[in-house]
Amino acid sequence: MICGGIDIGGTKIEARLFSDDLATVEMRRIATPKDSLSDFIDALAEQVRWLEQLSGEAQSLPIGMAIPGLIDAQTGRAFTSNLPASGHDIGLLLSNGIARRLPLMNDCQAFALSEANGGAGEGCRSVVGLIMGTGVGAGLTIDGRLTERFNGSALEVGHIGIPAHVLVPRDLPIWPCGCGKHGCFEQYVSGNGLAALGSHRLGRPLKAEEIVASAMSGQADHMALLSEWAHIAAELLLIIQLGHDPDCIVLGGGLSGIPNVVPMLEKPFQSLLLGEMRMPFIRTAIHGDSSGARGAAIMATRQLS
Ligand SMILES: [Zn+2]
Protein backbone atom coordinates (compact mmCIF):
# COMPACT_ATOMS: atom_id res chain seq x y z
CA MET A 1 0.00 0.00 0.00
CA ILE A 2 1.47 3.38 -0.91
CA CYS A 3 1.50 5.74 2.04
CA GLY A 4 2.80 9.06 3.27
CA GLY A 5 4.69 10.26 6.32
CA ILE A 6 5.30 13.74 7.68
CA ASP A 7 8.21 14.39 10.01
CA ILE A 8 7.61 17.62 11.92
CA GLY A 9 10.78 19.19 13.28
CA GLY A 10 11.71 22.51 14.82
CA THR A 11 13.26 23.79 11.59
CA LYS A 12 11.57 21.81 8.80
CA ILE A 13 8.42 19.84 8.01
CA GLU A 14 9.37 16.93 5.80
CA ALA A 15 6.78 15.01 3.75
CA ARG A 16 7.63 11.69 2.08
CA LEU A 17 5.60 9.53 -0.23
CA PHE A 18 6.45 5.83 0.11
CA SER A 19 5.98 2.95 -2.32
CA ASP A 20 4.41 -0.41 -1.38
CA ASP A 21 7.76 -1.58 -0.04
CA LEU A 22 8.31 1.61 1.98
CA ALA A 23 10.96 3.13 -0.26
CA THR A 24 10.85 6.91 -0.63
CA VAL A 25 9.25 7.89 -3.95
CA GLU A 26 9.45 11.63 -3.41
CA MET A 27 10.32 14.00 -0.57
CA ARG A 28 9.62 17.67 0.06
CA ARG A 29 10.80 19.87 2.92
CA ILE A 30 9.38 23.23 3.92
CA ALA A 31 10.44 25.55 6.76
CA THR A 32 8.54 25.17 10.04
CA PRO A 33 6.61 28.37 10.85
CA LYS A 34 7.97 29.25 14.29
CA ASP A 35 5.68 31.98 15.62
CA SER A 36 2.11 31.35 14.56
CA LEU A 37 -0.11 28.35 15.32
CA SER A 38 -2.32 28.97 12.27
CA ASP A 39 0.69 29.30 9.94
CA PHE A 40 2.05 26.06 11.36
CA ILE A 41 -1.24 24.20 10.78
CA ASP A 42 -1.49 25.70 7.26
CA ALA A 43 2.02 24.44 6.47
CA LEU A 44 1.07 20.93 7.63
CA ALA A 45 -2.10 21.03 5.51
CA GLU A 46 -0.02 22.09 2.50
CA GLN A 47 2.24 19.05 2.93
CA VAL A 48 -0.78 16.74 3.30
CA ARG A 49 -2.36 18.06 0.08
CA TRP A 50 0.96 17.70 -1.75
CA LEU A 51 1.15 14.03 -0.73
CA GLU A 52 -2.49 13.40 -1.64
CA GLN A 53 -2.11 14.93 -5.11
CA LEU A 54 1.24 13.30 -5.80
CA SER A 55 -0.09 9.85 -4.89
CA GLY A 56 -3.25 10.12 -6.99
CA GLU A 57 -5.06 8.56 -4.03
CA ALA A 58 -6.46 11.81 -2.65
CA GLN A 59 -7.95 11.35 0.81
CA SER A 60 -7.60 7.58 0.86
CA LEU A 61 -3.80 7.86 1.13
CA PRO A 62 -2.73 6.74 4.62
CA ILE A 63 -0.59 9.52 6.15
CA GLY A 64 1.01 9.58 9.61
CA MET A 65 2.87 12.37 11.37
CA ALA A 66 5.78 12.35 13.82
CA ILE A 67 6.83 15.11 16.21
CA PRO A 68 9.56 15.53 18.82
CA GLY A 69 7.60 15.49 22.06
CA LEU A 70 4.75 13.95 24.04
CA ILE A 71 1.35 13.18 22.57
CA ASP A 72 -1.09 12.77 25.42
CA ALA A 73 -3.10 9.65 24.61
CA GLN A 74 -6.09 10.87 26.66
CA THR A 75 -6.42 14.40 25.28
CA GLY A 76 -4.59 14.17 21.92
CA ARG A 77 -2.58 17.24 22.84
CA ALA A 78 1.07 17.48 21.85
CA PHE A 79 3.75 18.93 24.09
CA THR A 80 7.01 19.98 22.52
CA SER A 81 9.45 22.79 23.17
CA ASN A 82 10.24 23.52 19.51
CA LEU A 83 6.86 24.00 17.81
CA PRO A 84 4.31 26.84 17.99
CA ALA A 85 1.60 24.21 18.64
CA SER A 86 2.59 22.91 22.07
CA GLY A 87 -0.43 22.15 24.24
CA HIS A 88 -2.76 21.81 21.23
CA ASP A 89 -4.41 18.84 19.55
CA ILE A 90 -2.55 19.12 16.25
CA GLY A 91 -4.55 16.34 14.56
CA LEU A 92 -7.84 18.06 15.42
CA LEU A 93 -6.73 21.53 14.27
CA LEU A 94 -5.38 20.08 11.05
CA SER A 95 -8.62 18.21 10.38
CA ASN A 96 -10.42 21.54 9.81
CA GLY A 97 -8.30 22.17 6.72
CA ILE A 98 -7.97 18.67 5.24
CA ALA A 99 -11.32 17.15 6.24
CA ARG A 100 -9.87 14.11 7.94
CA ARG A 101 -7.95 13.25 11.06
CA LEU A 102 -4.37 11.99 10.74
CA PRO A 103 -2.55 10.01 13.44
CA LEU A 104 0.37 11.62 15.30
CA MET A 105 3.24 9.92 17.08
CA ASN A 106 6.49 10.69 18.85
CA ASP A 107 9.49 10.80 16.51
CA CYS A 108 11.69 8.46 18.59
CA GLN A 109 8.85 5.94 18.56
CA ALA A 110 8.64 6.45 14.78
CA PHE A 111 12.37 5.80 14.49
CA ALA A 112 12.11 2.54 16.47
CA LEU A 113 9.07 1.40 14.47
CA SER A 114 10.85 2.13 11.20
CA GLU A 115 14.04 0.31 12.16
CA ALA A 116 12.14 -2.68 13.59
CA ASN A 117 10.30 -3.12 10.25
CA GLY A 118 12.68 -3.54 7.34
CA GLY A 119 15.48 -1.74 9.18
CA ALA A 120 18.47 -2.60 11.35
CA GLY A 121 16.27 -4.27 13.99
CA GLU A 122 14.41 -6.52 11.52
CA GLY A 123 14.07 -10.03 12.93
CA CYS A 124 14.62 -8.99 16.55
CA ARG A 125 11.70 -9.35 18.99
CA SER A 126 12.41 -6.32 21.14
CA VAL A 127 14.04 -3.28 19.56
CA VAL A 128 15.08 -0.03 21.19
CA GLY A 129 15.81 2.81 18.76
CA LEU A 130 18.20 5.20 20.49
CA ILE A 131 18.66 8.63 18.93
CA MET A 132 21.80 10.49 19.92
CA GLY A 133 21.76 13.83 18.15
CA THR A 134 21.09 17.32 19.43
CA GLY A 135 19.15 15.58 22.19
CA VAL A 136 18.85 11.98 23.34
CA GLY A 137 15.68 9.89 23.25
CA ALA A 138 14.56 6.37 22.42
CA GLY A 139 11.59 4.34 21.25
CA LEU A 140 10.65 0.74 21.92
CA THR A 141 8.93 -1.90 19.80
CA ILE A 142 7.96 -5.45 20.70
CA ASP A 143 7.48 -7.90 17.80
CA GLY A 144 7.68 -4.97 15.38
CA ARG A 145 4.89 -3.05 17.10
CA LEU A 146 4.76 -0.08 19.42
CA THR A 147 3.58 -0.57 22.95
CA GLU A 148 0.87 1.64 24.46
CA ARG A 149 2.44 4.22 26.75
CA PHE A 150 0.51 5.97 29.53
CA ASN A 151 1.81 9.50 28.85
CA GLY A 152 2.30 9.10 25.12
CA SER A 153 6.03 9.50 25.65
CA ALA A 154 8.96 7.77 24.06
CA LEU A 155 11.60 6.25 26.34
CA GLU A 156 12.83 9.55 27.77
CA VAL A 157 16.24 8.09 28.53
CA GLY A 158 18.04 11.39 27.90
CA HIS A 159 16.48 12.69 31.10
CA ILE A 160 17.52 9.82 33.32
CA GLY A 161 19.99 11.13 35.91
CA ILE A 162 23.56 10.04 35.35
CA PRO A 163 24.78 7.82 38.24
CA ALA A 164 27.23 9.19 40.83
CA HIS A 165 29.67 6.37 40.06
CA VAL A 166 30.01 7.79 36.54
CA LEU A 167 30.48 11.46 37.50
CA VAL A 168 32.46 11.33 40.76
CA PRO A 169 35.55 9.31 39.68
CA ARG A 170 35.78 11.48 36.56
CA ASP A 171 35.37 14.66 38.60
CA LEU A 172 32.64 15.84 36.22
CA PRO A 173 30.18 18.59 37.25
CA ILE A 174 26.43 17.99 37.51
CA TRP A 175 25.34 20.06 34.52
CA PRO A 176 21.84 21.62 34.33
CA CYS A 177 19.49 20.28 31.64
CA GLY A 178 16.93 22.08 29.49
CA CYS A 179 14.22 19.97 31.17
CA GLY A 180 14.78 21.80 34.46
CA LYS A 181 16.61 18.98 36.22
CA HIS A 182 20.33 18.51 36.74
CA GLY A 183 22.72 15.78 35.69
CA CYS A 184 20.60 14.26 32.88
CA PHE A 185 22.40 11.85 30.52
CA GLU A 186 21.55 14.12 27.58
CA GLN A 187 23.95 16.77 28.87
CA TYR A 188 26.88 14.33 28.54
CA VAL A 189 26.09 11.98 25.65
CA SER A 190 24.22 14.10 23.06
CA GLY A 191 26.12 16.05 20.41
CA ASN A 192 25.99 19.08 22.69
CA GLY A 193 27.06 16.82 25.57
CA LEU A 194 30.15 15.67 23.71
CA ALA A 195 30.96 19.31 22.94
CA ALA A 196 30.45 20.26 26.62
CA LEU A 197 32.69 17.40 27.71
CA GLY A 198 35.38 18.56 25.29
CA SER A 199 35.12 22.19 26.34
CA HIS A 200 35.27 21.18 30.00
CA ARG A 201 38.32 18.99 29.56
CA LEU A 202 40.31 21.17 27.15
CA GLY A 203 39.25 24.58 28.45
CA ARG A 204 38.11 26.04 25.14
CA PRO A 205 34.88 25.94 23.12
CA LEU A 206 34.68 22.83 20.94
CA LYS A 207 32.06 21.35 18.63
CA ALA A 208 31.17 17.68 18.51
CA GLU A 209 32.08 17.44 14.80
CA GLU A 210 35.50 18.92 15.54
CA ILE A 211 36.18 16.41 18.34
CA VAL A 212 35.16 13.47 16.13
CA ALA A 213 37.22 14.69 13.15
CA SER A 214 40.33 15.33 15.27
CA ALA A 215 39.98 11.99 17.05
CA MET A 216 39.74 10.23 13.68
CA SER A 217 42.92 11.95 12.52
CA GLY A 218 44.72 10.54 15.56
CA GLN A 219 44.87 13.58 17.84
CA ALA A 220 45.41 12.03 21.30
CA ASP A 221 43.47 14.45 23.51
CA HIS A 222 40.44 14.24 21.21
CA MET A 223 40.69 10.44 21.05
CA ALA A 224 40.60 10.44 24.87
CA LEU A 225 37.49 12.67 24.80
CA LEU A 226 35.69 10.36 22.40
CA SER A 227 36.65 7.37 24.52
CA GLU A 228 35.28 9.09 27.65
CA TRP A 229 32.05 9.91 25.76
CA ALA A 230 31.76 6.23 24.71
CA HIS A 231 32.20 5.04 28.31
CA ILE A 232 29.46 7.38 29.54
CA ALA A 233 27.18 6.44 26.62
CA ALA A 234 27.78 2.74 27.46
CA GLU A 235 26.41 3.46 30.97
CA LEU A 236 23.22 4.66 29.27
CA LEU A 237 23.09 1.47 27.17
CA LEU A 238 23.39 -0.52 30.41
CA ILE A 239 20.44 1.38 31.95
CA ILE A 240 18.38 0.69 28.82
CA GLN A 241 19.28 -2.99 29.12
CA LEU A 242 18.49 -3.16 32.83
CA GLY A 243 15.13 -1.48 32.25
CA HIS A 244 14.01 -3.21 29.04
CA ASP A 245 16.47 -6.00 28.14
CA PRO A 246 15.94 -5.56 24.36
CA ASP A 247 17.63 -7.96 21.93
CA CYS A 248 18.69 -5.05 19.73
CA ILE A 249 19.54 -1.38 20.21
CA VAL A 250 19.56 0.59 16.94
CA LEU A 251 21.52 3.85 17.00
CA GLY A 252 20.35 6.95 15.15
CA GLY A 253 20.99 10.68 15.17
CA GLY A 254 24.17 12.55 14.29
CA LEU A 255 26.48 10.71 16.69
CA SER A 256 25.51 7.33 15.22
CA GLY A 257 27.58 8.48 12.23
CA ILE A 258 30.85 8.43 14.22
CA PRO A 259 33.12 5.97 12.37
CA ASN A 260 33.19 2.58 14.16
CA VAL A 261 30.69 3.79 16.75
CA VAL A 262 29.39 0.26 17.38
CA PRO A 263 32.68 -1.33 18.57
CA MET A 264 33.50 1.94 20.33
CA LEU A 265 30.37 1.48 22.49
CA GLU A 266 30.39 -2.33 22.71
CA LYS A 267 33.79 -2.49 24.39
CA PRO A 268 32.94 -0.44 27.52
CA PHE A 269 29.38 -1.86 27.53
CA GLN A 270 30.77 -5.40 27.70
CA SER A 271 32.75 -4.48 30.82
CA LEU A 272 29.62 -3.08 32.54
CA LEU A 273 27.25 -6.03 31.98
CA LEU A 274 25.44 -7.36 35.01
CA GLY A 275 26.28 -10.98 35.92
CA GLU A 276 25.60 -13.37 33.06
CA MET A 277 23.48 -10.98 31.00
CA ARG A 278 24.32 -11.06 27.30
CA MET A 279 24.88 -7.89 25.36
CA PRO A 280 22.09 -6.97 22.91
CA PHE A 281 22.95 -6.43 19.25
CA ILE A 282 24.12 -2.85 18.77
CA ARG A 283 23.53 -1.65 15.20
CA THR A 284 23.37 1.63 13.34
CA ALA A 285 20.16 2.68 11.62
CA ILE A 286 19.49 1.76 7.99
CA HIS A 287 16.86 4.37 7.16
CA GLY A 288 18.58 7.43 8.66
CA ASP A 289 16.90 10.71 7.76
CA SER A 290 13.69 9.11 6.52
CA SER A 291 12.96 7.26 9.78
CA GLY A 292 10.52 9.78 11.30
CA ALA A 293 8.33 9.92 8.19
CA ARG A 294 8.73 6.19 7.48
CA GLY A 295 7.72 5.16 11.01
CA ALA A 296 4.71 7.49 10.92
CA ALA A 297 3.69 6.05 7.54
CA ILE A 298 3.88 2.49 8.92
CA MET A 299 1.66 3.51 11.83
CA ALA A 300 -0.88 5.09 9.46
CA THR A 301 -1.12 1.98 7.24
CA ARG A 302 -1.60 -0.26 10.28
CA GLN A 303 -4.45 1.86 11.54
CA LEU A 304 -6.28 0.99 8.34
CA SER A 305 -5.59 -2.73 8.45
ZN1 LIG B 1 16.84 16.59 31.44
Side-chain angles (χ1 to χ4, degrees), residues 47-128:
Q47 290 292 60
V48 171
R49 286 190 208 101
W50 178 74
L51 285 170
E52 288 175 349
Q53 283 166 13
L54 187 66
S55 69
E57 302 266 318
Q59 293 208 331
S60 59
L61 180 74
I63 301 175
M65 303 183 291
I67 65 156
L70 300 179
I71 300 100
D72 189 307
Q74 290 171 17
T75 66
R77 288 190 292 172
F79 294 91
T80 167
S81 53
N82 295 320
L83 301 175
S86 194
H88 295 278
D89 184 335
I90 294 174
L92 180 65
L93 293 172
L94 179 61
S95 68
N96 296 329
I98 60 168
R100 62 174 167 144
R101 180 132 190 175
L102 302 183
L104 187 65
M105 73 190 304
N106 170 278
D107 61 353
C108 292
Q109 294 281 74
F111 170 68
L113 187 61
S114 176
E115 290 298 327
N117 291 277
E122 177 73 42
C124 295
R125 293 208 65 182
S126 168
V127 175
V128 166

Side-chain angles (χ1 to χ4, degrees), residues 156 158-161 175-187:
E156 300 295 338
H159 301 288
I160 291 175
W175 284 321
C177 180
C179 74
K181 297 185 187 301
H182 288 74
C184 296
F185 261 103
E186 182 168 289
Q187 297 306 310

Side-chain angles (χ1 to χ4, degrees), residues 210-297:
E210 198 181 338
I211 294 169
V212 173
S214 300
M216 291 305 138
S217 69
Q219 200 172 311
D221 50 358
H222 288 235
M223 289 168 75
L225 277 177
L226 205 53
S227 168
E228 183 170 30
W229 169 83
H231 277 79
I232 299 172
E235 294 275 1
L236 179 58
L237 297 180
L238 174 69
I239 287 173
I240 291 170
Q241 183 181 39
L242 295 177
H244 300 285
D245 196 13
D247 28 320
C248 183
I249 298 176
V250 181
L251 307 174
L255 295 181
S256 70
I258 295 173
N260 297 317
V261 69
V262 170
M264 191 184 290
L265 291 171
E266 279 178 337
K267 200 173 167 204
F269 188 13
Q270 184 73 50
S271 71
L272 295 172
L273 292 174
L274 182 67
E276 299 302 313
M277 286 183 83
R278 293 184 301 270
M279 195 159 60
F281 295 113
I282 311 287
R283 295 172 181 159
T284 51
I286 287 177
H287 297 292
D289 284 348
S290 72
S291 62
R294 190 173 178 276

